[in-house]
Amino acid sequence: MDIRYSCRHCNTEVGSIPFASAEEVVQQLKNAEDSQHFLEYDKDGSMTVRCICEECEKSLRTFPDYLALKKWLQ
């Protein structure tokens, strides 16, 4: 079990942290007020943090109106 970080827009895997070395990170993420918006749990107990990758961040800076769209990548 580990913590995976993937882009919420394009689903690119940004990185991962082995679960054994991430206990403090898990507690901080679970205690965050809006954690239900960016945390997903798999059946095997793994956690996925939905973040934003560099490419999508660049696109959103260039075209900020994309944030109003539910799905802006085809």
Side-chain angles (χ1 to χ4, degrees):
M1 293 188 279
D2 59 349
I3 301 173
R4 290 187 306 272
Y5 289 83
S6 65
C7 181
R8 63 180 176 221
H9 300 289
C10 67
N11 290 325
T12 300
E13 186 165 330
V14 177
S16 65
I17 300 174
F19 190 76
S21 64
E23 290 180 30
E24 184 177 328
V25 174
V26 169
Q27 290 304 322
Q28 290 176 353
L29 289 171
K30 286 183 179 179
N31 292 336
E33 285 184 25
D34 56 352
S35 63
Q36 71 274 8
H37 297 292
F38 60 88
L39 291 180
E40 295 177 359
Y41 296 93
D42 298 337
K43 292 178 183 177
D44 64 354
S46 296
M47 180 188 301
T48 301
V49 179
R50 305 299 284 176
C51 57
I52 186 167
C53 70
E54 290 179 11
E55 293 302 316
C56 289
E57 183 178 7
K58 287 178 192 175
S59 295
L60 287 172
R61 283 187 183 161
T62 305
F63 305 103
D65 293 340
Y66 284 176
L67 283 174
L69 302 173
K70 183 158 180 107
K71 183 173 180 174
W72 51 275
L73 289 177
Q74 301 299 317

